Amino acid sequence: MVLAEDSLGQIWIGTQTGIRYWDGTKLRKPNTENGYVTHLHFRDSCIYALQLNYLYKINVYSMEVESYDFPYPDYRNIQALEHGFLTISRDFKDTLLLDYQLSPIENGQSERINERQDTAVLGAYVITNEYVMGPEDTLATSHALTGRVVQFDENHVFVASHEGLIEYALDHHGNLIKNVHVQSDRVENILVDRYQNLWVGTAENGLLQFHKNMILHNYYKESLPDGSLNPCWTIGSIDGRIHYTTSHGIRELGATNSEATAIEKATAHLTCFSFLETDEFVWIGTAKKGLYKYVNGRVEPIYFNSQEYLDNTIVQILEDGQDYLVCSKYAIHRIDRMGKVKNSYPFKKYHEKDYSMQLVKLDSSYLSANTIGIVEYDQNFVPQSRKYKDARVFSDLTFYQDSWWITSLDGGVYRLEQDSLVEVPTPQNQLLKIRSFQNNLWITGLSGALLYRDSVFTEFGLENGFPITEYAQGGLYNYQDSLILFSGVEGVFEYNGNGQEEEVLMPQWHLLQKDTFLPPQSSTLLNYDVSVVQLLPRAIITTDRNRFDLSYTLNGNRFDFENGVPLLLDLNYGDSKLVFEIKNLLTGAKNSYAYHFYRAEPIWLKTWFQILLGLGGLMVVLGFYVLYGYFKTRKLLKQEEEHRKISQERLRISRELHDNIGARLTHIISSIDVELYRNAGDQNQLEAINSFARETMSQLRETIWAVSDQSIFFSELLLRVDQYVSQANQLTPIQLTYRNASKSDFELNSAQVINFFRIAQEAINNAIKYSEARQIEVSVEEADHQMQIKISDDGMGFDAATQTHGSGLRGMRHRATEVAASLSVTSKKGKGTTIKITIPFHT
């Protein structure tokens, strides 16, 4: 296996089966043939890969591939020169000199590859892939084949070997320490990337990454001789050295199995959960066997409760004046320095799993993170107050920035403010221990550690070199203001928390549109019909992935995106500005990458086209207007012609009525008058005939008036009605009055005029003939575009609900219906009758 890193931070891997590369999100394959890769070299944005049959040139931005075919297979040796590559066949019988464009260089100077040993210097030691030369002696590097040597930093050197990864490091005294990692693997190649991570290519397990935190800091893996895990719990100091509790005793940090200390030997049979060092001895709390005391190389049982098994799990031991407080899952015990129990304070059971997870002594009281909440006790451990949230198991608490901060096994982090618990949003919720360290908060959880700094949480886990997959309860301890230790089910990790975490490089950037690389500040032209563009953004992060916030802004709107996942963006016409931003959550540093996309406007959005379209539309509108005027004029002319013909016909009919029928009626009336004069004795019959003839003559004049060619307005109709009322008033003793309150005037056609007049005439005549009234009132009123003509009398009336209407009323209703008017009759016996004609109109 061969390794190389390109300018984007991508790790390239050459194996017997082809070329792969790690782009920070996943392992990918370029468009090359599978085959045995013997060499990788990066130069000028390109990776050069040597296979037995080909020399490939791969652009790391566009992924374009070029190749040179060798004359015959098995070219395994290559050396990068100033102007190109020198390639030599395995049997050294053929030599090729190629420039960096993969073109042969004619008459080039042939050179053999100079065999070179990798060399590193570590203090007073010189390390090669064959030997280690020290101040006093020279030692073999390995008993197996060795390969590349890599100088990691001034304190670490790594050697690739077929017996594993060999690490040489200097201890605090300048002595050389040798460690062998992945001993079961054959290590073929190693590479240190720009982020100071170590990449290890193995024959059995492929590519491995050792994060720089694993190398720069110390990790003590805790396992038993049979290979099973030995969970670590509480961390503390004994005789000035760090110790930690495990399921098989108390161990000293950094000690090997062959260097087991006295306390480790004495406690190997105990599942130790907690401990506390005093001037005379060490208290030891076990998981199931109660309290022990370690003194003079021996452990002695101090307290065991045979009645209550929960009382034998000692969660915490702390000093309280001259006494000690021992917290079990059952109670808090106060014991003296000789180990005698002075008082026991069983927990008030809110539920069956109610016990203290962490107890803190205040000035005159105690504060406890319990499984049921945050409880404050008095000096006799009587609960004074309780703060809780539903379904929360509180595990630890610490004082930070003038407040108590509390962790929960299922609710994350809370802050105690003014006697209430305020939830603090966190990236994970299953949290265990919390400590204030260098004005920051460190928190352990089931899936990693959290650092809280400047109101921002940063996660630490396997991806950024915190090697413990699950952290144990109690496994958080700060030592000498520089080291913070974490423990879990796999061991103890010693981390220097003095600001090293700030030294995180910003990731490199890569953006693809389909298969085309887009460099920052580039402008891309799109056809007008391309409304959606697909982009593949990648922040090439090979370390500390969770420390970065990835977002993009499009035309002023901000969105988050997932690294390495395609984006589908809707683009408007014209220019769109797209800005990708990578932000370091811990330091606040930002990198921005801007791109411009110009989506061509279609022809119908062009200014000149819109002007032409507007002019064309105006011409069409004018054309329609002219055409409309033409047809309207023709229609008006036709209507005038028809109206003229109708007027002529009306005039002809009125003249015919006047000249023919009117002349005949006039002759009849004159003859009757002569006969009445001659025959004075028989006047009744003739007077009746004369009256009927005169009435017929009057109606004929009204008909001629209604069908004449004149424009008849409503006011003229009312004038006729008024005249009719005046005439009737002279012929009857009944008092008739007329009142007009209308203000509007409008035109009526001949049918409306004759029908409205006949209705009013019929109503007045009926009132005179049949009502026996003393007064009859004819009134005209106007309201809401309606005219109302009312004929009211104070006569005898009739029952409108039961009496059958005569032909007069039916005729009036028929006339009203013909002209779209309405007629209503209101009457009651002895109360008179009112006939109302309602005429809708438009001014």
Side-chain angles (χ1 to χ4, degrees):
M1 179 180 290
V2 289
L3 302 172
E5 182 183 12
D6 64 23
S7 58
L8 291 174
Q10 300 176 126
I11 305 300
W12 291 77
I13 310 108
T15 69
Q16 293 181 352
T17 60
I19 308 169
R20 304 291 188 275
Y21 67 97
W22 175 259
D23 70 350
T25 59
K26 63 190 299 185
L27 199 63
R28 302 178 186 270
K29 182 183 184 304
N31 187 23
T32 57
E33 297 289 338
N34 291 330
Y36 189 1
V37 182
T38 63
H39 183 84
L40 289 173
H41 179 76
F42 176 73
R43 180 185 175 93
D44 297 334
S45 302
C46 293
I47 283 286
Y48 294 86
L50 178 66
Q51 285 189 351
L52 301 182
N53 297 331
Y54 309 96
L55 177 61
Y56 285 108
K57 176 185 177 183
I58 307 167
N59 188 300
V60 299
Y61 294 98
S62 64
M63 288 298 156
E64 295 178 353
V65 178
E66 301 177 46
S67 65
Y68 179 85
D69 298 355
F70 293 127
Y72 57 90
D74 214 0
Y75 279 76
R76 299 194 180 192
N77 302 310
I78 189 168
Q79 183 175 359
L81 305 176
E82 182 180 357
H83 301 293
F85 290 107
L86 177 65
T87 61
I88 305 174
S89 62
R90 185 179 185 184
D91 56 11
F92 294 96
K93 291 182 179 179
D94 187 56
T95 301
L96 287 173
L97 191 60
L98 303 174
D99 64 18
Y100 288 111
Q101 307 306 318
L102 301 188
S103 299
I105 300 176
E106 300 296 337
N107 301 321
Q109 181 182 359
S110 297
E111 300 180 29
R112 292 178 61 89
I113 297 178
N114 296 322
E115 298 295 335
R116 181 177 59 86
Q117 291 182 336
D118 292 317
T119 304
V121 178
L122 201 61
Y125 299 88
V126 176
I127 302 171
T128 73
N129 57 359
E130 292 182 356
Y131 60 85
V132 176
M133 185 173 66
E136 299 177 356
D137 200 359
T138 299
L139 304 173
T141 302
S142 172
H143 297 290
L145 285 172
T146 57
R148 190 177 180 195
V149 176
V150 168
Q151 180 97 41
F152 183 83
D153 63 7
E154 61 182 8
N155 294 317
H156 297 84
V157 169
F158 291 92
V159 180
S161 163
H162 281 198
E163 68 175 11
L165 177 66
I166 302 173
E167 176 189 6
Y168 290 102
L170 296 178
D171 64 11
H172 299 295
H173 304 290
N175 298 320
L176 190 68
I177 301 172
K178 177 182 177 181
N179 294 311
V180 181
H181 307 282
V182 292
Q183 299 180 25
S184 60
D185 287 353
R186 291 179 297 149
V187 178
E188 298 180 339
N189 209 309
I190 50 181
L191 170 72
V192 178
D193 67 19
R194 71 182 61 200
Y195 299 98
Q196 219 177 348
N197 303 307
L198 183 68
W199 298 78
V200 180
T202 69
E204 286 78 8
N205 292 312
L207 185 65
L208 306 175
Q209 184 202 41
F210 288 82
H211 193 279
K212 69 174 183 180
N213 284 337
M214 291 266 305
I215 301 169
L216 297 175
H217 309 284
N218 295 316
Y219 171 52
Y220 305 91
K221 190 169 185 179
E222 183 64 38
S223 59
L224 299 175
D226 62 0
S228 61
L229 298 177
N230 190 12
C232 307
W233 308 104
T234 308
I235 307 173
S237 176
I238 299 176
D239 293 332
R241 297 187 299 272
I242 300 298
H243 287 71
Y244 54 94
T245 60
T246 73
S247 297
H248 293 78
I250 296 178
R251 305 195 63 179
E252 182 181 346
L253 191 69
T256 63
N257 291 332
S258 61
E259 301 170 342
T261 62
I263 193 171
E264 180 181 348
K265 294 176 182 178
T267 58
H269 65 289
L270 297 175
T271 301
C272 298
F273 201 75
S274 57
F275 70 93
L276 176 68
E277 182 186 31
T278 72
D279 293 337
E280 299 87 9
F281 48 80
V282 176
W283 293 114
I284 301 173
T286 68
K288 296 181 180 179
K289 296 183 178 181
L291 181 67
Y292 282 75
K293 178 172 70 174
Y294 171 78
V295 61
N296 297 327
R298 298 174 55 250
V299 291
E300 301 174 7
I302 298 298
Y303 176 79
F304 181 82
N305 190 336
S306 60
Q307 303 297 320
E308 178 56 63
Y309 74 96
L310 290 176
D311 202 26
N312 296 316
T313 299
I314 308 301
V315 178
Q316 183 185 7
I317 307 169
L318 69 157
E319 192 172 5
D320 187 19
Q322 297 298 317
D323 299 327
Y324 298 96
L325 297 177
V326 176
C327 301
S328 72
K329 287 188 175 182
Y330 174 75
I332 298 175
H333 305 285
R334 184 181 295 277
I335 62 175
D336 61 18
R337 290 187 173 273
M338 301 305 294
K340 182 180 178 180
V341 177
K342 298 172 64 174
N343 299 97
S344 293
Y345 310 97
F347 293 112
K348 181 179 180 181
K349 293 294 184 180
Y350 292 95
H351 57 73
E352 61 180 7
K353 294 183 179 181
D354 181 10
Y355 62 91
S356 174
M357 299 281 287
Q358 184 70 23
L359 183 67
V360 175
K361 178 176 173 52
L362 306 179
D363 291 337
S364 59
S365 61
Y366 302 89
L367 193 64
S368 174
N370 276 25
T371 52
I372 50 92
I374 305 302
V375 181
E376 185 175 2
Y377 299 101
D378 64 11
Q379 291 184 349
N380 296 316
F381 290 97
V382 176
Q384 300 299 302
S385 64
R386 184 167 69 100
K387 296 89 178 175
Y388 67 94
K389 295 284 185 179
D390 293 338
R392 298 288 182 266
V393 178
F394 295 97
S395 54
D396 197 10
L397 71 166
T398 191
F399 197 75
Y400 175 69
Q401 293 183 348
D402 301 325
S403 299
W404 285 99
W405 291 63
I406 305 102
T407 52
S408 168
L409 288 175
D410 59 353
V413 175
Y414 292 87
R415 188 173 61 248
L416 188 59
E417 287 186 0
Q418 296 181 352
D419 212 34
S420 63
L421 292 175
V422 178
E423 186 173 359
V424 180
T426 56
Q428 52 180 284
N429 289 332
Q430 295 177 302
L431 302 179
L432 295 163
K433 306 303 289 185
I434 181 170
R435 289 290 180 271
S436 175
F437 178 66
Q438 293 185 347
N439 202 32
N440 303 315
L441 278 179
W442 280 96
I443 305 169
T444 62
L446 294 185
S447 58
L450 295 176
L451 170 64
Y452 183 77
R453 171 184 290 178
D454 298 330
S455 302
V456 174
F457 280 101
T458 303
E459 292 186 87
F460 289 86
L462 294 179
E463 282 190 343
N464 45 19
F466 274 49
I468 304 174
T469 56
E470 184 176 337
Y471 290 82
Q473 180 176 328
L476 183 58
Y477 182 78
N478 55 288
Y479 180 65
Q480 294 181 348
D481 294 329
S482 61
L483 298 177
I484 186 162
L485 293 95
F486 307 86
S487 70
V489 297
E490 291 180 318
V492 178
F493 184 59
E494 181 185 81
Y495 186 75
N496 189 338
N498 59 2
Q500 294 268 348
E501 62 273 6
E502 296 186 8
E503 299 175 6
V504 178
L505 297 177
M506 299 295 284
Q508 298 296 309
W509 180 251
H510 192 263
L511 182 66
L512 287 177
Q513 181 191 6
K514 295 183 179 178
D515 296 325
T516 304
F517 169 73
L518 298 181
Q521 301 299 332
S522 63
S523 295
T524 303
L525 297 178
L526 302 172
N527 292 331
Y528 75 89
D529 56 346
V530 180
S531 59
V532 177
V533 62
Q534 177 173 321
L535 301 174
L536 180 62
R538 287 206 314 270
I540 302 175
I541 308 170
T542 55
T543 180
D544 299 345
R545 293 174 179 81
N546 55 23
R547 294 200 190 187
F548 298 99
D549 177 63
L550 306 178
S551 63
Y552 70 90
T553 303
L554 179 60
N555 296 329
N557 298 314
R558 183 184 179 278
F559 308 92
D560 295 327
F561 71 92
E562 188 174 347
N563 196 21
V565 176
L567 291 177
L568 295 177
L569 302 180
D570 293 325
L571 299 181
N572 299 323
Y573 294 117
D575 185 64
S576 295
K577 184 177 181 180
L578 176 63
V579 179
F580 290 94
E581 182 180 271
I582 305 172
K583 179 182 179 181
N584 187 324
L585 294 176
L586 197 60
T587 65
K590 298 179 182 178
N591 276 358
S592 298
Y593 306 92
Y595 301 85
H596 290 272
F597 293 87
Y598 185 82
R599 183 182 172 193
E601 294 180 339
I603 189 173
W604 54 84
L605 293 181
K606 302 288 186 180
T607 303
W608 62 268
F609 182 83
Q610 291 179 343
I611 293 174
L612 289 179
L613 189 64
L615 292 175
L618 183 60
M619 295 298 293
V620 171
V621 170
L622 289 175
F624 275 110
Y625 180 77
V626 171
L627 192 63
Y628 170 77
Y630 170 74
F631 283 109
K632 183 177 181 180
T633 302
R634 285 192 58 184
K635 183 178 180 181
L636 290 175
L637 292 174
K638 185 176 180 180
Q639 289 177 345
E640 289 181 2
E641 179 64 21
E642 291 177 353
H643 183 70
R644 186 183 62 79
K645 291 179 179 180
I646 292 172
S647 298
Q648 288 178 349
E649 184 65 17
R650 285 178 175 176
L651 182 60
R652 186 190 65 80
I653 293 173
S654 61
R655 286 178 179 175
E656 183 69 23
L657 289 174
H658 182 271
D659 295 344
N660 189 2
I661 299 177
R664 290 176 178 271
L665 285 174
T666 301
H667 176 71
I668 292 172
I669 292 171
S670 300
S671 299
I672 291 174
D673 288 338
V674 171
E675 289 299 322
L676 283 173
Y677 180 76
R678 290 179 179 178
N679 303 297
D682 191 14
Q683 290 185 353
N684 292 334
Q685 183 69 19
L686 292 177
E687 285 181 358
I689 295 172
N690 188 32
S691 176
F692 176 79
R694 291 181 183 278
E695 184 177 352
T696 301
M697 188 64 182
S698 176
Q699 292 180 0
L700 178 61
R701 290 193 184 98
E702 292 166 356
T703 301
I704 293 172
W705 165 74
V707 300
S708 66
D709 191 31
Q710 299 176 2
S711 293
I712 303 175
F713 285 85
F714 183 72
S715 58
E716 296 180 71
L717 171 65
L718 296 182
L719 185 60
R720 289 280 183 168
V721 172
D722 186 19
Q723 292 176 354
Y724 185 81
V725 169
S726 298
Q727 293 174 358
N729 215 359
Q730 298 175 1
L731 300 176
T732 179
I734 301 173
Q735 182 179 359
L736 279 81
T737 60
Y738 173 77
R739 180 174 59 84
N740 182 10
S742 65
K743 297 180 180 180
S744 301
D745 201 4
F746 50 93
E747 283 189 276
L748 299 172
N749 59 42
S750 57
Q752 290 175 313
V753 170
I754 194 64
N755 280 313
F756 291 151
F757 184 77
R758 293 300 185 207
I759 292 171
Q761 188 181 47
E762 180 72 15
I764 294 170
N765 288 338
N766 287 344
I768 293 173
K769 292 179 181 180
Y770 309 116
S771 68
E772 298 181 3
R774 292 188 301 274
Q775 292 183 351
I776 300 173
E777 182 184 38
V778 179
S779 62
V780 182
E781 297 178 354
E782 177 182 350
D784 298 330
H785 293 283
Q786 288 184 338
M787 288 293 185
Q788 291 182 347
I789 303 176
K790 291 195 296 184
I791 298 94
S792 303
D793 64 67
D794 58 355
M796 63 181 181
F798 59 89
D799 190 348
T802 58
Q803 184 169 335
T804 302
H805 295 166
S807 59
L809 282 176
R810 287 198 299 273
M812 285 190 286
R813 291 186 186 278
H814 179 71
R815 286 181 179 275
T817 303
E818 280 187 352
V819 292
S822 61
L823 184 137
S824 65
V825 179
T826 304
S827 183
K828 190 174 182 180
K829 285 187 176 181
K831 299 295 183 178
T833 302
T834 299
I835 295 176
K836 181 167 61 177
I837 311 162
T838 303
I839 305 167
F841 71 92
H842 299 281
T843 57

